[in-house]
């Protein structure tokens, strides 16, 4: 039986979803629409982080990267996000956590990051609760630190900020920028 598409963010936020800026709602309400913009990417530049970024498709440090993002819903009610930063592409799957209806997870290959959503000063903030690798919950001291926020600038344009820092390795990737619907 086919599960109807669900806006995970509207589901998790409930009535609070209507309080977030319109550009954020537009982004989450428009599956299968290409969004484009520009981003700045950073992160540690030693061998290990460079290799990990290359393997995962994360952008290497660079200014003024063209970015496109496409989100589509799967038949199982999940969201598949594909992000293209210049020539690099990475995808992830977002879904509601069946064991905790108050959170979602984002899966990158063997890694799942579990988040709750909060709204703070017109920003939508993804708050990392815990992380698993190959289905095994990582202890806090081995878990990444993650910042993932969505907001708007003074003109109401959709903005994003993301940063992943790994224990003993440093900042794997960080990026920020803006998106608008592709014409």
């Amino acid at each position: 039986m086919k599960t109807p598409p669900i806006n995970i963010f509207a589901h998790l936020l409930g009535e609070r979803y209507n309080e977030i800026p319109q550009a954020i709602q537009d982004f989450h309400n428009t599956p299968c629409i290409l969004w484009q913009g520009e981003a700045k990417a950073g992160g540690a530049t030693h061998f290990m982080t460079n290799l990990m970024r290359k393997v995962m498709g994360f952008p290497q440090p660079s200014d003024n990267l063209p970015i496109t993002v496409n989100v589509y819903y799967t038949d199982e009610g999940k969201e598949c996000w594909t992000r293209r930063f210049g020539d690099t592409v990475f995808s992830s799957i977002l879904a509601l956590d069946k064991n905790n209806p108050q959170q979602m997870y984002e899966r990158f290959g063997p890694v799942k990051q579990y988040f709750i959503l909060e709204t703070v000063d017109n920003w939508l903030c993804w708050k990392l609760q815990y992380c698993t690798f190959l289905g095994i919950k990582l202890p806090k001291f081995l878990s990444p630190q993650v910042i993932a926020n969505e907001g708007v600038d003074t003109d109401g344009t959709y903005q994003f900020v993301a940063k992943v820092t790994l224990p003993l390795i440093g900042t794997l990737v960080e990026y920020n920028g803006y998106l608008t619907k592709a014409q």
Side-chain angles (χ1 to χ4, degrees):
M1 181 176 184
K2 205 172 180 182
T3 303
I6 181 173
N7 178 330
I8 293 170
F9 295 82
H11 176 82
L12 290 174
L13 290 171
E15 290 298 317
R16 293 180 297 152
Y17 187 75
N18 297 321
E19 298 169 8
I20 61 176
Q22 189 62 49
I24 300 172
Q25 290 182 46
D26 290 346
F27 177 81
H28 291 289
N29 289 339
T30 54
C32 300
I33 299 293
L34 184 68
W35 288 72
Q36 63 187 13
E38 191 172 278
K40 177 180 179 179
T45 56
H46 54 75
F47 173 77
M48 183 60 76
T49 54
N50 287 337
L51 178 63
M52 291 175 76
R53 281 193 295 267
K54 187 166 186 73
V55 167
M56 296 187 77
F58 292 158
Q60 296 292 342
S62 183
D63 291 336
N64 307 319
L65 281 169
I67 179 175
T68 61
V69 178
N70 188 11
V71 178
Y72 71 87
Y73 295 166
T74 69
D75 289 342
E76 298 84 30
K78 299 176 181 178
E79 295 183 10
C80 181
W81 289 42
T82 301
R83 304 158 183 93
R84 178 181 294 277
F85 289 85
D87 295 332
T88 62
V89 178
F90 72 96
S91 295
S92 63
I93 299 290
L94 276 72
L96 293 171
D97 180 2
K98 292 178 182 170
N99 297 317
N100 182 343
Q102 302 302 313
Q103 66 186 15
M104 66 179 184
Y105 67 80
E106 183 170 24
R107 181 175 55 81
F108 298 91
V111 175
K112 278 187 182 179
Q113 299 174 335
Y114 290 80
F115 296 94
I116 61 169
L117 298 175
E118 295 181 355
T119 55
V120 179
D121 296 329
N122 286 327
W123 281 82
L124 176 59
C125 305
W126 304 24
K127 299 292 184 181
L128 183 66
Q129 301 304 292
Y130 64 93
C131 186
T132 64
F133 181 75
L134 296 173
I136 300 168
K137 187 175 179 180
L138 296 176
K140 194 99 169 142
F141 73 93
L142 289 178
S143 287
Q145 294 179 357
V146 177
I147 296 170
N149 299 326
E150 303 172 58
V152 295
D153 66 10
T154 55
D155 295 328
T157 303
Y158 177 89
Q159 303 285 305
F160 57 88
V161 176
K163 182 177 181 179
V164 177
T165 305
L166 301 174
L168 305 176
I169 293 177
T171 301
L172 175 61
V173 66
E174 62 182 316
Y175 52 85
N176 63 70
Y178 72 89
L179 293 169
T180 59
K181 286 182 195 175
Q183 302 299 330

